[in-house]
Each structure stands twice: as structure tokens, then as C-alpha cells.
Amino acid sequence: MTLYLKYRPKDFESLVWQDFIKNTLRQAIIKDKLVWAYLFCWPRWTGKTSTARIFAKAINCINLKDGNPCGECEICQWVQNENLVDIVEIDAASYTGVDNIREIIEKAVFSPTRCKYKVYIIDEVHMLSKGAFNALLKILEEPPLHLKFILATTESHKIPETILSRCQRYDFKSITSIDLKQRLLYIAKEEGIKIDDESLEFITKQANGGLRNAISLFEQLVVNGEIQFERVIQNYGIPRSEIISNFYQKLISQDTTLISDFDAIASEYNLQLFFKELLFFIKEKLLEKIDSLSDVKAHIFLLENLEEAYLKSKNSFDGKTTFLVWIIKSIKNISFSANDIPSSPISTVHKTFVEKKVSLKESPPEIKNNPLPEISHDDLFDVFWDDNFWDIMPDTQESFEEIPVPKIIKEQKINVTNTTFHQEWFIQALKNLWAKWALTMSLRGSSLQFDEKNLIVFTKTKIAMKQISSSDNISLMTGALETMWFLNINIEIK
């Protein structure tokens, strides 16, 4: 058995850090003030599912001890061995359909066989489909007295308001480094494992507030009953603090020799771990220099660009080049935005067309009195996006590139933020990346839905879906989203 499973909390006393939640739940059990639905939210690996299991065990325990499950009665033993049919745990990621929830409802109405309450624990509940949520809502509105639901999620914003309003919500917190260290030291003592302070500090940093991460890494680093930082450095390519400090000093002083040093760093260390440690180091320096405005600006510039480079490196063809570009940008104080990307000939022609269209609005009165017949936007796209139309329409990309490009004095600017998404801004960003005319027109004829994690494109024709779904265009759209500071967005075509 792995250490994580062996030391997984079995009662409220062994639950790490979530004091408010466990004390509130215990008082509810003692005073018999239970509700029918609970929602456990937020960070991964902070004990949501473990708390749900403990709570389910506690409300059915025969010999409660101050709101805590005894762990000795037959109910506690059955729950511990996962032999109790009255407590059902479901992974919503693989149980998403409306038929799955209807099956739960059909079984839920029957009384429990051995326990006081029948409990359904639904993990990652945000993965349920819209139909499944609607089916779940029905039983949450009129639940039987013997039925309890415990929902767990890391993305509560994806859960419908109708479900949220019927649950008692608890927001979990990331576990502090102090509590992580104490738990790891407890496990080390119980297992007879020696660990030095540097290794303990390294594990808690990498865990990022998650106990499961910390215990898994702890177990992975054990060699012959001990964890030595020297061995961790050798096996994982982790830089020493003096190496990080020297790198930082050259970065701040804008020493160009850092570029030549980078090859040696890349060959000797794990780049992901190296720059993650550097990010922590720069953050500490930022807090030390908080009273100096110029130092604060310099360190925030480094941190923002390093975080961007770190995220890009995970999906980059060459992560080494991504970090090298960051070093050069940092030394030269360069900051790029979507507006700094050169416009393509096509986007320039488009801007010229827009300017001419604006100038027509300023025509003399006699022209305005004789307007051309108006054609609605929908009528235009019904003809333009007919699949038969494209069978006889040649590719227009080359003809557009051959049009002489007039000199444009004033460039159109895009004003975007990392919290706002507009379809026109997205299309303009694509044009700045030299996107083909067929792609931008396909997007104009589609509906776009954006929720900060996913971009869903609802196409109206087969040709539009084929055009947008190509791998080259998906990559291009990802690049356009990144220039608008929307990172790691999942693109789905329907």
C-alpha cells in the first residue's frame, strides 16, 4: 500500500488544516442539524474526497465520539473496507450522462440496507452534462429523508446556480507549508525514515499546497530508508540556492553572459525545476524590496514574463528555446503584446476597406437619399456559407495577396484584457498572425462561446467546420488567444 493511502485521513482528527470545515461538520452531527446536500469546493489534493468519506462514515457511525466516527463499530469497518452498499462514490468524469443520474435516482428512493442514511459522493461533479444536472436537480428539490448527497469539485463556477442554491457549500483551502511539513515529519517518524531540512523544504515547495502531491513525492524520494538532499539534487537535476542566486544577480544586472551560461544550465539541470525554483526566488526578492518602486516594477516584469514562459514551455516544441527567449527579453527589457505583431497584407487591405466604408457614410445628401437596397447579415451568410457555393468558389487567398497594399498611416489598435473576450478582437488577432481569409470568414459565420477555460465554436456548415478544425488553424487560434493573454485554452469545434 502506498503511503498516501496508508495515511489517508480516517477521521476528523487526522484531517490536515481544514479546521473550520471539520469543526462545523462535527457540530452539525452532534446537534443533528444535517442538510440533504453538501458541496466541497476548490483546490485539488486538499482533502475534499477524504472529508466526504469521513462525513459519510460519521453520520452513520453507531458509537460516535464527540462527532467523530469511532472507527471500531461494524459500520465504520464496512466503510473502511469499502464493503457498504449504502455509501456510493461516483466519478462524474466517467459518469456524465442523464441516464447515469436517472439510475442513481431510481436506486436512491429505496431505504438503506444497514445504515441510517444512504450517501452518494459525486466527485468532480462539474463534469456532469446539462441533462444530468437537470435530472439531479429534481431529487435535490424533494429528497427522501434517508438520502444525503456530497458533491466535490475543483471548478464550482461550472455548476448551475440551481444546484448551488440547494447545497451547503464549504470552500477548502490550500494546505500551508507548515502543516505539510508537520504531516511529512509525522509520516517519516511512523515509517522510520530520515529526512533532512533541505529535502523537506523542497517537497513542500513542489507540493503547491496539496497533501497528496507532498506524500507522493516524499515516497518517491526515499532511498534505503532516508531522503538526502544531495541525492535529490543528483537524480532530479535541482540547482543549489547559490546557483539560483548567481543567475538572479546576472539577470538583474542585465549581464549578457547569462545567454552563454544558459547552455550549461540546460545540460546540467531540469529546466522546468530550475525556473520553478527561480520563480520562487524572485518572489522572495520582490517581497524584500517592496518599498522600492523601481525594484518592484523590475521584479514584477520578471515574474509575469517567467510565468508566461513556464506555461508555454509545457506545450512548446522546444522548451529550451522558450526559456532562452525569456532570458533575452528580460535582459533587454522587452515586452511584446498583440499590437507589436506586424500586420499581414490581408489585414491591411481589410483596414483599408473599413476606412473606405466609413468614408461613404460622409457622402453628400443626394447620395444618402438614394441608398442601395439593404441585405441583412443573415441573408448574406445563408448564401455565402451554402456548401454548394464553395464547390465552385476558388481559393481567394492568393488573389488577396496580389492586391497592391496602400500605405496606412494610422494602425488600428486592439484593446484587450486577460478577463474580456470579444469575437471581433479574436478575429483581428488572427489577422495579425496572417490567418487565411477562409478561416476568419468561417469564424464570422459561427457562434463563439468563451468561459475563460474553453473556447467552443458552433459552426453552421460542413465547410466551415472542416476549415476551422484543421490542425494548422487550431494552432493558429491557440496562438491568437495567447497574444490576447488567454493561456491554456481548450478549443472545441461543434
Side-chain angles (χ1 to χ4, degrees):
M1 181 184 294
T2 64
L3 292 180
Y4 172 72
L5 292 177
K6 184 176 181 180
Y7 290 95
R8 190 168 192 167
K10 295 178 176 59
D11 54 31
F12 288 121
E13 293 296 334
S14 58
L15 190 63
V16 178
W17 181 237
Q18 314 297 343
D19 293 337
F20 170 77
I21 293 173
K22 64 185 182 183
N23 290 336
T24 304
L25 293 176
R26 286 174 66 175
Q27 288 301 313
I29 295 170
I30 293 170
K31 297 178 180 180
D32 195 22
K33 292 186 176 181
L34 302 176
V35 298
W36 59 88
Y38 296 84
L39 179 64
F40 295 164
C41 302
W42 294 120
R44 297 181 185 276
W45 312 306
T46 52
K48 295 187 297 298
T49 308
S50 295
T51 304
R53 291 174 177 175
I54 294 168
F55 187 60
K57 181 164 57 174
I59 62 178
N60 286 302
C61 179
I62 299 173
N63 301 314
L64 273 175
K65 297 179 180 179
D66 192 25
N68 217 29
C70 67
E72 299 172 355
C73 67
E74 59 180 9
I75 297 293
C76 289
Q77 291 297 317
W78 283 332
V79 173
Q80 197 65 37
N81 297 325
E82 299 181 359
N83 293 330
L84 195 59
V85 295
D86 294 330
I87 297 178
V88 182
E89 189 171 338
I90 299 164
D91 179 14
S94 55
Y95 213 74
T96 61
V98 63
D99 291 336
N100 301 132
I101 298 301
R102 284 174 179 164
E103 182 183 346
I104 292 175
I105 294 171
E106 289 173 2
K107 296 179 179 178
V109 295
F110 296 106
S111 299
T113 57
R114 295 176 177 175
C115 297
K116 182 179 180 181
Y117 297 107
K118 180 175 285 189
V119 183
Y120 283 90
I121 301 171
I122 305 180
D123 200 12
E124 300 298 336
V125 69
H126 64 272
M127 299 291 287
L128 291 180
S129 66
K130 183 177 180 180
F133 273 125
N134 289 334
L136 181 63
L137 179 62
K138 181 63 177 176
I139 197 167
L140 288 181
E141 288 177 333
E142 302 174 2
L145 294 176
H146 65 264
L147 186 61
K148 305 294 179 187
F149 280 97
I150 306 176
L151 315 179
T153 180
T154 54
E155 300 183 47
S156 60
H157 60 280
K158 293 184 177 181
I159 300 176
E161 287 292 335
T162 50
I163 299 292
L164 292 174
S165 64
R166 287 163 174 80
C167 297
Q168 192 173 92
R169 175 171 174 161
Y170 292 89
D171 288 331
F172 284 64
K173 299 180 291 184
S174 294
I175 303 173
T176 64
S177 58
I178 295 174
D179 285 281
L180 284 175
K181 288 177 183 178
Q182 289 178 349
R183 188 63 177 173
L184 291 177
L185 288 173
Y186 168 77
I187 294 173
K189 181 180 179 181
E190 292 293 313
E191 296 294 319
I193 297 170
K194 295 180 180 179
I195 181 171
D196 54 43
D197 293 337
E198 289 177 303
S199 299
L200 196 62
E201 185 70 27
F202 169 74
I203 293 171
T204 53
K205 272 187 179 181
Q206 299 301 316
N208 197 26
L211 184 58
R212 185 189 303 177
N213 278 356
I215 297 177
S216 297
L217 183 56
F218 174 90
E219 185 172 19
Q220 186 179 346
L221 295 175
V222 175
V223 177
N224 297 327
E226 62 180 359
I227 301 176
Q228 293 181 352
F229 193 60
E230 288 292 333
R231 190 179 292 123
V232 174
I233 289 174
Q234 294 173 4
N235 293 342
Y236 287 87
I238 301 167
R240 292 182 174 277
S241 57
E242 54 267 24
I243 301 295
I244 293 290
S245 179
N246 182 55
F247 189 97
Y248 163 80
Q249 292 298 335
K250 286 191 174 185
L251 201 62
I252 289 295
S253 60
Q254 298 179 321
D255 188 345
T256 55
T257 61
L258 197 59
I259 297 173
S260 57
D261 293 345
F262 181 69
D263 282 334
I265 291 170
S267 61
E268 188 171 351
Y269 302 110
N270 180 313
L271 285 181
Q272 291 282 340
L273 289 176
F274 182 92
F275 285 101
K276 191 173 183 179
E277 289 293 312
L278 179 63
L279 190 144
F280 291 137
F281 190 89
I282 295 174
K283 183 188 75 173
E284 292 172 1
K285 291 296 180 182
L286 168 64
L287 297 177
E288 290 176 9
K289 302 176 182 293
I290 197 69
D291 294 328
S292 170
L293 182 59
S294 59
D295 286 335
V296 167
K297 287 181 177 180
H299 285 74
I300 289 177
F301 172 81
L302 291 175
L303 282 174
E304 288 180 343
N305 284 284
L306 178 53
E307 185 175 12
E308 178 191 354
Y310 185 84
L311 291 172
K312 282 186 177 180
S313 69
K314 293 183 177 181
N315 300 315
S316 173
F317 290 112
D318 184 4
K320 180 179 176 182
T321 302
T322 303
F323 286 120
L324 178 61
V325 170
W326 171 77
I327 292 172
I328 296 171
K329 286 170 65 176
S330 301
I331 291 174
K332 299 298 183 181
N333 278 331
I334 301 172
S335 180
F336 293 117
S337 67
N339 295 327
D340 297 317
I341 301 172
S343 298
S344 69
I346 298 175
S347 63
T348 306
V349 170
H350 172 73
K351 291 172 187 175
T352 307
F353 172 77
V354 171
E355 290 178 2
K356 288 181 178 180
K357 186 177 179 180
V358 171
S359 68
L360 286 175
K361 294 181 180 179
E362 302 171 358
S363 302
E366 61 268 24
I367 296 179
K368 290 184 179 179
N369 291 334
N370 298 283
L372 293 172
E374 291 185 0
I375 300 176
S376 71
H377 184 275
D378 292 335
D379 290 339
L380 177 62
F381 275 100
D382 285 342
V383 175
F384 190 77
W385 289 110
D386 190 287
D387 289 337
N388 295 326
F389 172 79
W390 283 89
D391 292 337
I392 61 172
M393 184 68 180
D395 191 326
T396 57
Q397 173 69 13
E398 294 183 3
S399 61
F400 260 82
E401 290 181 343
E402 293 170 0
I403 297 175
V405 181
K407 184 177 181 181
I408 303 298
I409 297 176
K410 185 177 180 180
E411 292 289 332
Q412 179 182 353
K413 299 296 182 181
I414 309 172
N415 181 22
V416 296
T417 69
N418 60 352
T419 58
T420 307
F421 179 90
H422 288 293
Q423 184 166 342
E424 282 302 318
W425 291 354
F426 177 50
I427 291 173
Q428 184 61 52
L430 281 166
K431 290 178 179 178
N432 287 341
L433 294 179
W434 295 47
K436 287 188 176 182
W437 181 73
L439 171 60
T440 57
M441 289 302 294
S442 297
L443 288 171
R444 287 187 188 280
S446 305
S447 300
L448 273 61
Q449 180 180 319
F450 184 76
D451 64 359
E452 297 186 1
K453 293 286 185 182
N454 302 284
L455 173 62
I456 304 176
V457 182
F458 296 94
T459 57
K460 294 183 179 179
T461 65
K462 293 179 181 178
I463 190 68
M465 174 174 281
K466 182 178 179 181
Q467 183 67 235
I468 298 173
S469 300
S470 72
S471 57
D472 289 343
N473 284 339
I474 291 291
S475 298
L476 196 61
M477 288 191 288
T478 301
L481 288 169
E482 288 180 354
T483 65
M484 298 171 71
W485 295 99
F486 294 113
L487 306 178
N488 297 330
I489 303 297
N490 176 52
I491 299 175
E492 186 176 350
I493 315 299
K494 292 187 177 181

